[in-house]
Amino acid sequence: MIKTKAYAAHSSTGALAPFELHRRNPGAEDVQIEILYCGVCHSDLHTARGEWHNTQYPCVPGHEIVGRVVAVGDGVRGFKVGDLAGVGCMIDSCGHCHSCHEGDEQYCENGFTGTYNGPVFGGENTFGGYSRTIVVKESFVLHVRHDEKDLARVAPLLCAGITTYSPLRHWGAGPGRKVGIVGLGGLGHMGVKIAHALGAHVVLFTTSPGKSDDGKQLGAAVVCISTSPEQMAAQANQLDFILNTVAAPHDLDAYLQLLKRDGTMALVGAPAEPHPPSNVFNLIFKRRRIAGSLIGGIKETQEMLDFCADHQILSDVETIPIDYINTAYERMLKSDVKYRFVIDMASL
Ligand code: NAP
Ligand code: ZN
């Protein structure tokens, strides 16, 4: 077994604190990665604080992992020692259900194994990227083609990047399409960048007027302050697709009214409490849809990483030492981060 330092939550109310855990020795199909950077996703906070009522403690969050391969098993063909590699939200799935066969492991009908807090149906807990090393089977490890100097800015692609790329592709964001992105946080800022790179006309909806200039620089053609009834009214019936990343319950009707006939709003934000009920007439009169979307499959995650490398898309990050994590969580709750915290694991 490989001993490694980590940071863990021990209860829903306590602060994260230093912790020690063991990784398995790499088996034939395994890749061992020295973690160099790990992004801080709002899901880490929801999970550490038990907001989704499924947390097993101690909990070591972190699923935006990038680092260097330090060991590989005999059967590993795609990675060698020294390669840059990434790990996202999943480290395993059943591999034989319909979804797995279609490359949608995130919808594995037997439940995928999360990088942390993993075994949904029992079994040993899994520990995530707020640690120095991780051992993962090759088929769940991603290739990183970005320049090594940009590695901290690549980490958030492993969750925020794929969680926005997958629905934007699924619902056809591209030239001639008007796409709304709701919330300019970790997911939202990647959504703006990726939708813009795909060629869509991007309208950013934010509650924070101070983020307007950034929104435009990131690729939004229009920034709409969602607390302004006039600005919202100007967007009515305009949008083909809306990607809603907001991490708190809010009025969905305000956004449904902005969709064209047959438009879809996909929810990726996963607040602890339900949204207030929405008015069915906003759906039936224009055949609009509310949908959901969960991260993306491994093949699509690799496609997204390659797309971002080709288009020089990186996350905008604040790099922090691990002992800043509890402060970072408090700032994230106030939407006070531009636009993703990333932990420099050398600080652990
Ligand atoms: P984040 O960085 O905290 O960003 C969330 C943004 O939502 C904030 O920056 C803010 O943007 C907006 N917001 C927050 N509270 C709001 C409120 N009360 N009303 C309106 N807007 C509000 O979080 P994140 O890491 O991007 O994650 C967002 C959500 O997605 C979380 O719930 C997370 O668990 C979930 N998630 C889902 C998936 C998936 O696969 N579906 C994957 C990863 C994360 P403005 O300041 O611009 O208004
Ligand atoms: Zn995440």
Side-chain angles (χ1 to χ4, degrees), residues 7 22 68 96 207 274 298 308-309 313 332:
Y7 249 58
H22 291 87
R68 189 182 308 286
H96 53 73
T207 59
I298 295 297
C308 289
I313 296 176
M332 186 156 61

Side-chain angles (χ1 to χ4, degrees), residues 6-323:
Y7 249 58
H10 290 270
S11 73
S12 63
T13 51
L16 273 72
F19 179 64
E20 204 169 76
L21 62 91
H22 291 87
R23 304 292 190 188
R24 64 175 181 267
N25 291 320
E29 312 298 328
D30 286 336
V31 175
Q32 183 186 350
I33 299 166
E34 180 196 6
I35 302 174
L36 298 174
Y37 297 98
C38 184
V40 179
C41 178
H42 208 113
S43 302
D44 298 353
L45 187 160
H46 289 307
T47 307
R49 297 190 176 177
E51 292 178 4
W52 292 334
H53 308 291
N54 66 351
T55 308
Q56 304 179 54
Y57 296 99
C59 170
V60 177
H63 58 205
E64 293 183 337
I65 297 168
V66 289
R68 189 182 308 286
V69 174
V70 291
V72 294
D74 290 344
V76 171
R77 295 287 167 264
F79 292 88
K80 58 182 190 322
V81 170
D83 285 353
L84 298 179
V87 177
C89 303
M90 302 179 281
I91 53 161
D92 209 354
S93 70
C94 85
H96 53 73
C97 73
H98 185 64
S99 296
C100 288
H101 271 302
E102 300 216 317
D104 275 331
E105 299 90 352
Q106 75 278 28
Y107 303 119
C108 174
E109 276 127 60
N110 297 299
F112 68 84
T113 305
T115 303
Y116 61 81
N117 202 48
V120 184
F121 303 110
E124 261 183 48
N125 200 3
T126 54
F127 297 119
Y130 296 5
S131 60
R132 281 318 305 264
T133 197
I134 191 163
V135 176
V136 178
K137 80 180 195 190
E138 178 184 11
S139 49
F140 283 80
V141 181
L142 287 308
H143 292 276
V144 173
R145 287 176 34 220
H146 284 82
D147 202 294
E148 185 169 350
K149 71 173 177 13
D150 294 326
L151 210 51
R153 301 185 60 194
V154 172
L157 303 183
L158 275 304
C159 174
I162 185 60
T163 302
T164 51
Y165 181 86
S166 182
L168 285 168
R169 289 297 307 260
H170 185 81
W171 277 283
R177 305 266 287 169
K178 281 194 175 179
V179 169
I181 305 287
V182 187
L184 195 66
L187 266 54
H189 92 291
M190 291 311 308
V192 171
K193 287 187 187 213
I194 291 170
H196 174 67
L198 289 169
H201 174 94
V202 180
V203 182
L204 167 68
F205 296 90
T206 177
T207 59
S208 310
K211 295 180 182 174
S212 280
D213 290 346
D214 285 354
K216 288 203 175 131
Q217 253 176 359
L218 295 168
V222 177
V223 176
C224 177
I225 307 304
S226 53
T227 48
S228 156
E230 296 77 25
Q231 291 190 32
M232 290 295 274
Q235 298 298 326
N237 305 313
Q238 298 292 311
L239 297 164
D240 294 288
F241 177 64
I242 297 177
L243 183 64
N244 187 328
T245 75
V246 174
H250 61 282
D251 173 22
L252 300 182
D253 285 318
Y255 296 103
L256 289 173
Q257 291 165 2
L258 310 187
L259 290 169
K260 289 180 186 165
R261 173 174 56 81
D262 287 323
T264 298
M265 175 160 70
L267 307 178
V268 288
E273 303 301 329
H275 296 294
S278 57
N279 185 336
V280 72
F281 292 102
N282 282 327
L283 299 174
I284 61 181
F285 269 84
K286 286 198 185 297
R287 203 161 52 191
R288 294 166 173 139
R289 283 165 290 219
I290 301 180
S293 185
L294 178 68
I295 47 174
I298 295 297
K299 185 161 166 268
E300 194 175 37
T301 305
Q302 189 63 61
E303 178 188 305
M304 175 277 309
L305 282 169
D306 295 344
F307 175 87
C308 289
D310 290 342
H311 290 79
Q312 302 194 334
I313 296 176
L314 293 161
S315 176
D316 289 18
V317 306
E318 289 188 39
T319 305
I320 58 169
I322 186 80
D323 62 7

